[in-house]
């Protein structure tokens, strides 16, 4: 029997009544292992906190009634959902201060409706909506990088997982220490107030981090059996000083034995410290747990303290992990509100086929006192696609790499080097918040 021809579809704003269909559609697109009811229960609080007005759905109308069933979770009032995209409103630490950004999530197209323009229509409409809301940046975690580069996104951070045998956890004698600090260990949920204080303090100063809302804190501290994967309950080691909490580690342990020898593991979900001495105290707590043979770190920045403070840092085995992708939705605003490390004055010629309001020539003039970005008819110093701007906006990459590999055009010799000097950041950007 031949397959019915796909009918027409439209993109519209979604709502609470579409959420079940969206979970089904995106879950199938991403090969989600969870039962859909489990996924919906996990995601619903995050959407409820912010409302459903950021949800976009592609709906296939006029699907023949003979193909409809009451069990089809994708059927909504005006047809059947075949694609979706959404975003969360985040406050993100950027060069120059904390700004509102759109955290893009829930992107998926039903497998039999791929290659029909559905995703392109959803992503273009989302960019227009984000621009209308006044958010100059969009960020996401990419399941497939080849998809999002087409829409102007680019990886902007370098993040790693790490593994370290406890036999190699010795720190340098001159590692910063403070004898007044002490560690309290408890169930993670019991330490939430302290965790929130530390996270807010670190987030305020580290580029790339997102402020964590109540619903996202609930998600971060969720401790169901399915989350443990054979490991322990979620623990919180909190470092305290004279003025209160100054660091914490969220971790689980995995009890293992081989040939009557202990080889247990500590799996570190988050490790945040307000001071270098607090980091040392936390690390030595993790490394000194009895029966533990290895530390496993879920996420590490490129300049994590371990790279500098371990006696033998090459024993820390790191693997490149997901990178946060950044997209300039409003080039003029994003460049003007950024801070710069050195004076710069140049004309950029930007191409952006999905956000035409960004297309054209922009004069960027900036120094330590601030920045301005205005349209101009002057000849360009540099021509580039909007994705290159996203790659370097957090300061984790350089434009010189794109120039050297023919991915942008330098019309004025030295312009790219001058721009890189202005974009420089002393610390690696890092984001520990999945969404």
């Amino acid at each position: 029997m031949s397959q019915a021809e796909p009918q027409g579809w439209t993109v519209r704003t979604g709502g609470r009544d579409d959420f079940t269909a969206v979970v089904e559609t995106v879950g199938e697109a991403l090969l989600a292992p969870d039962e859909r009811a489990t996924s919906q229960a996990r995601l619903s609080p995050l959407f409820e906190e912010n409302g459903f007005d950021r949800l976009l759905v592609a709906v296939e109308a006029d699907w023949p009634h003979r193909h409809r069933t009451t069990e089809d979770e994708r059927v909504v009032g005006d047809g059947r959902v075949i694609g979706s995209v959404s975003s969360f409103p985040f406050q993100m630490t950027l060069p120059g201060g904390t700004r509102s950004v759109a955290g893009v999530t829930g992107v998926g197209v039903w497998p039999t409706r791929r290659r029909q323009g559905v995703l392109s229509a959803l992503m273009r409409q989302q960019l227009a909506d984000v621009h209308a809301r006044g958010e100059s940046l969009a960020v996401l975690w990419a399941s497939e990088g080849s998809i999002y580069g087409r829409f102007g996104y680019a990886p902007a951070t370098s993040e790693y997982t790490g593994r370290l045998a406890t036999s190699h956890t010795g720190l340098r004698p001159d590692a910063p220490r403070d004898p007044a600090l002490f560690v309290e260990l408890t169930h993670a949920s019991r330490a939430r107030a302290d965790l929130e204080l530390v996270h807010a303090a670190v987030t305020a100063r580290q580029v790339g981090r997102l402020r964590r809302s109540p619903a996202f804190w609930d998600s971060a501290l969720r401790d169901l059996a399915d989350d443990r994967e054979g490991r322990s309950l979620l623990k919180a080691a909190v470092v305290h000083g004279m003025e209160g909490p100054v660091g914490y580690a969220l971790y689980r342990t995995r009890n293992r034995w081989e040939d009557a020898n202990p080889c247990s593991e500590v799996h570190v979900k988050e490790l945040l410290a307000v001071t270098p001495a607090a980091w040392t105290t936390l690390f030595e707590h993790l490394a000194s747990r009895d029966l533990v043979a290895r530390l496993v770190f879920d996420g590490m920045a490129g300049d994590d303290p371990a790279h500098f403070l371990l006696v033998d840092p090459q024993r820390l085995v790191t693997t490149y992990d997901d990178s946060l992708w950044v997209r300039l939705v409003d080039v003029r605003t994003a460049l003007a509100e950024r801070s710069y490390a050195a004076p710069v004055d140049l004309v950029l010629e930007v191409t952006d086929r999905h956000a035409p309001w960004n297309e054209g020539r922009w004069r960027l003039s900036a120094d330590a006192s601030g920045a301005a970005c205005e349209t101009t008819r002057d000849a360009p110093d540099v021509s580039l696609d909007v994705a290159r701007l996203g790659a370097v906006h957090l300061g984790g990459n350089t434009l010189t790499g794109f120039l050297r590999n023919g991915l942008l055009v330098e019309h004025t010799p030295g312009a790219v080097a001058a721009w890189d000097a202005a974009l420089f950041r002393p610390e690696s950007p890092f984001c520990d918040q999945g969404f």
Side-chain angles (χ1 to χ4, degrees):
M1 182 171 59
S2 62
Q3 187 176 20
E5 289 295 322
Q7 304 299 301
W9 50 267
T10 57
V11 172
R12 63 165 172 79
T13 301
R16 182 178 283 100
D17 292 342
D18 300 304
F19 194 60
T20 297
V22 166
V23 171
E24 177 67 25
T25 302
V26 176
E28 185 61 39
L30 298 181
L31 306 179
D34 294 338
E35 294 287 340
R36 298 298 181 254
T38 301
S39 296
Q40 188 164 346
R42 175 173 53 85
L43 295 170
S44 290
L46 304 178
F47 282 85
E48 290 286 356
E49 181 180 65
N50 298 294
F52 292 83
D53 61 318
R54 289 172 170 261
L55 185 62
L56 290 173
V57 292
V59 179
E60 188 175 56
D62 301 323
W63 184 252
H65 289 285
R66 65 178 179 274
H67 292 288
R68 297 191 182 194
T69 68
T70 56
E71 292 80 19
D72 192 338
E73 298 291 345
R74 294 187 294 128
V75 172
V76 292
D78 54 346
R80 188 165 71 164
V81 172
I82 60 171
S84 179
V85 63
S86 189
S87 69
F88 294 117
F90 286 124
Q91 293 292 307
M92 186 176 190
T93 304
L94 296 167
T98 300
R99 312 292 185 205
S100 297
V101 304
V104 176
T105 188
V107 182
V109 175
W110 192 251
T112 59
R113 296 298 180 266
R114 296 167 60 246
R115 305 287 189 261
Q116 297 177 26
V118 176
L119 181 60
S120 293
L122 287 164
M123 296 296 285
R124 281 196 297 268
Q125 183 60 54
Q126 184 181 58
L127 286 172
D129 291 350
V130 171
H131 185 250
R133 289 189 183 99
E135 295 162 335
S136 60
L137 290 182
V139 299
L140 59 80
W141 299 101
S143 56
E144 292 185 80
S146 60
I147 294 176
Y148 296 101
R150 295 175 8 225
F151 298 106
Y153 291 84
T157 63
S158 295
E159 302 178 15
Y160 304 87
T161 58
R163 292 177 290 115
L164 181 66
T166 52
S167 56
H168 297 296
T169 54
L171 297 182
R172 295 167 52 94
D174 56 350
R177 291 178 171 83
D178 182 351
L181 299 180
F182 63 94
V183 178
E184 292 287 355
L185 180 63
T186 185
H187 294 178
S189 60
R190 298 174 185 169
R192 178 162 173 166
D194 289 341
L195 306 183
E196 290 183 358
L197 286 173
V198 172
H199 193 276
V202 174
T203 296
R205 73 185 191 192
Q206 186 169 22
V207 166
R209 286 191 177 271
L210 302 171
R211 288 185 184 176
R212 189 171 283 171
S213 68
F216 273 93
W217 268 112
D218 291 343
S219 179
L221 300 181
R222 197 179 73 158
D223 197 18
L224 303 179
D226 289 344
D227 302 316
R228 296 172 186 167
E229 298 178 340
R231 299 170 297 180
S232 72
L233 53 81
L234 187 62
K235 313 170 193 292
V238 182
V239 178
H240 295 268
M242 296 296 293
E243 298 181 356
V246 291
Y248 73 79
L250 286 179
Y251 68 95
R252 302 181 190 276
T253 53
R254 186 189 300 277
N255 185 275
R256 292 180 57 202
W257 292 75
E258 290 183 4
D259 299 327
N261 293 308
C263 56
S264 298
E265 297 175 338
V266 168
H267 288 250
V268 184
K269 182 178 180 180
E270 296 180 10
L271 197 165
L272 284 80
V274 176
T275 66
W279 185 92
T280 299
T281 302
L282 281 169
F283 184 86
E284 291 185 330
H285 161 76
L286 297 170
S288 64
R289 289 295 308 259
D290 290 338
L291 309 179
V292 172
R294 185 166 68 170
L295 306 182
V296 180
F297 298 90
D298 284 353
M300 308 179 78
D303 58 355
D304 189 274
H307 295 298
F308 302 91
L309 297 181
L310 285 169
V311 170
D312 191 357
Q314 71 181 19
R315 299 299 180 181
L316 174 64
V317 180
T318 57
T319 303
Y320 184 77
D321 199 11
D322 280 352
S323 174
L324 188 72
W325 290 54
V326 172
R327 210 263 195 223
L328 270 63
V329 179
D330 186 328
V331 166
R332 178 178 184 173
T333 300
L335 294 181
E337 67 187 10
R338 193 194 192 279
S339 62
Y340 296 86
V344 64
D345 187 0
L346 48 78
V347 175
L348 321 174
E349 186 172 50
V350 178
T351 57
D352 191 340
R353 66 192 186 100
H354 293 291
W357 54 85
N358 286 330
E359 292 249 356
R361 295 178 183 178
W362 303 91
R363 177 172 290 280
L364 173 64
S365 302
D367 56 27
S369 64
C373 186
E374 303 293 342
T375 58
T376 182
R377 294 184 179 180
D378 293 346
D381 298 302
V382 180
S383 296
L384 73 174
D385 184 76
V386 70
R388 313 294 174 245
L389 296 175
V392 301
H393 197 69
L394 303 186
N397 299 307
T398 65
L399 288 161
T400 299
F402 295 111
L403 174 64
R404 187 170 57 243
N405 290 285
L407 297 177
L408 57 79
V409 178
E410 182 182 59
H411 304 285
T412 303
V416 167
W419 196 0
D420 274 340
L423 291 168
F424 172 76
R425 292 286 307 174
E427 295 182 350
S428 296
F430 182 72
C431 183
D432 66 347
Q433 180 63 66
F435 53 88

